[in-house]
Structure formats: structure tokens, C-alpha cells
């Protein structure tokens, strides 16, 4: 069961890292640019940390789930946003909301691993606590940007 769970989270981390990178690139020149770039780098490092945890536990990545997650992120770009070929404020808001949800899911994954770490002695409790703290910080950063973007949506 843990292997399936970790693979599901790894698939989510794959699409989340791609989304974070794209969002950071789309905002590189605005007020959120540097913060989003930092969060995107952290999200990529979190994916790497999850992959290392899987390695330590002997869990092989399910390639089909990784490909499906990657494709889902690409197809997610096709949603209507109030503009035909350009980005709108709604695009930014929806992307930030998706990142917030992804980070909350990641935090839940770290909490789950903390809950079972005593059953898997190779899991590093302190590292998991650090990853969870980083997820909380990422959520706070993203939620602040999301709230500011939502407020600007009406103007």
C-alpha cells in the first residue's frame, strides 16, 4: 500500500514541479517573480526528496503515473481563462490555487510518512519534519500571492 501511496504522491510532485516552474516563468517580471522562482526550486527539491525516500524504501517509480501526471499538467493549460491567446488575471489566480492545493497535498503526504515512520526505520523523522515545515512555508507564501491576485481580479 505504501508503494502505491508514494507513487501517487510522486506523480503529483511531477505535475506540481512542472506547474510551479511554468508559473514562476510566467511571473518572472512581476512582483511575485522572485518568490515564485524560489518556491518552484523548493518544490523541485521536494520531488527529489520524495524520490530519495522511495529509493530508501525500495519503491520503484511507476512510469505510467509519471507520464499521466505530466500530461495532465500540460492539458490543464487548455482551460478557458477569459482570453483567447493571452494570459489573464484569472489564469494567474487558478494557477496559484492549483499550487496551493498541491502543496497542501504534499504536506499531507509528509504527515502520513511521519505517522508511519516508526514502522519504517529507514525513514528519517527529522528530514520529514523539515519537509513538512517547508511545505507550510510554501503554502503561506502561495496563499499570500493567491489572496492578492484574487483581490485584484475584480479591478
Amino acid at each position: 500500500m505504501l508503494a502505491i501511496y508514494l507513487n501517487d504522491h510522486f506523480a503529483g510532485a511531477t505535475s506540481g514541479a512542472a506547474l510551479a516552474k511554468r508559473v514562476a516563468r510566467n511571473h518572472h517580471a512581476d512582483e511575485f517573480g522572485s518568490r515564485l522562482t524560489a518556491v518552484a526550486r523548493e518544490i523541485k527539491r521536494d520531488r527529489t526528496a520524495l524520490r530519495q525516500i522511495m529509493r530508501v524504501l525500495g519503491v520503484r517509480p511507476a512510469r505510467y503515473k509519471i507520464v499521466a501526471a505530466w500530461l495532465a499538467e500540460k492539458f490543464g493549460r487548455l482551460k478557458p481563462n477569459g482570453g483567447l491567446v493571452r494570459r489573464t488575471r484569472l489564469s494567474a489566480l487558478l494557477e496559484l490555487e492549483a499550487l496551493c492545493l498541491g502543496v497542501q497535498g504534499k504536506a499531507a503526504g509528509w504527515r502520513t510518512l511521519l505517522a508511519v515512520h516508526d514502522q519504517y526505520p529507514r525513514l528519517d523523522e527529522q528530514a520529514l519534519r523539515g519537509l513538512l515545515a517547508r511545505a507550510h512555508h510554501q503554502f503561506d507564501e502561495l496563499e499570500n500571492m493567491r489572496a492578492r491576485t484574487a483581490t485584484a481580479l475584480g479591478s
Side-chain angles (χ1 to χ4, degrees), residues 28-88:
H28 76 279
D30 70 24
E31 64 180 311
F32 300 148
S34 63
R35 290 165 61 198
L36 282 168
T37 298
V39 169
R41 284 187 191 125
E42 288 179 358
I43 288 172
K44 184 178 179 181
R45 285 198 321 257
D46 294 342
R47 181 183 181 274
T48 300
L50 178 56
R51 177 62 188 108
Q52 181 58 32
I53 289 167
M54 292 170 71
R55 227 180 258 122
V56 164
L57 295 175
V59 176
R60 297 179 61 122
R63 298 224 184 273
Y64 73 94
K65 287 186 179 186
I66 296 168
V67 170
W70 183 83
L71 287 171
E73 191 280 325
K74 302 302 179 224
F75 284 120
R77 299 177 186 192
L78 300 176
K79 66 190 166 304
N81 65 359
L84 226 56
V85 293
R86 64 179 172 75
R87 293 179 47 74
T88 66

Side-chain angles (χ1 to χ4, degrees), residues 87-102:
R87 293 179 47 74
T88 66
R89 288 183 187 156
L90 181 57
S91 301
L93 179 63
L94 291 172
E95 290 167 347
L96 288 167
E97 286 180 354
L99 284 173
C100 283
L101 290 170

Side-chain angles (χ1 to χ4, degrees), residues 16-26 36 40 44 99:
L19 175 62
K21 180 179 177 181
R22 180 169 53 87
V23 171
R25 187 176 56 243
N26 288 338
L36 282 168
K44 184 178 179 181
L99 284 173

Side-chain angles (χ1 to χ4, degrees), residues 112-124:
T112 296
L113 290 175
L114 280 166
V116 301
H117 85 275
D118 58 330
Q119 299 169 42
Y120 299 91
R122 292 178 286 173
L123 285 176
D124 182 340

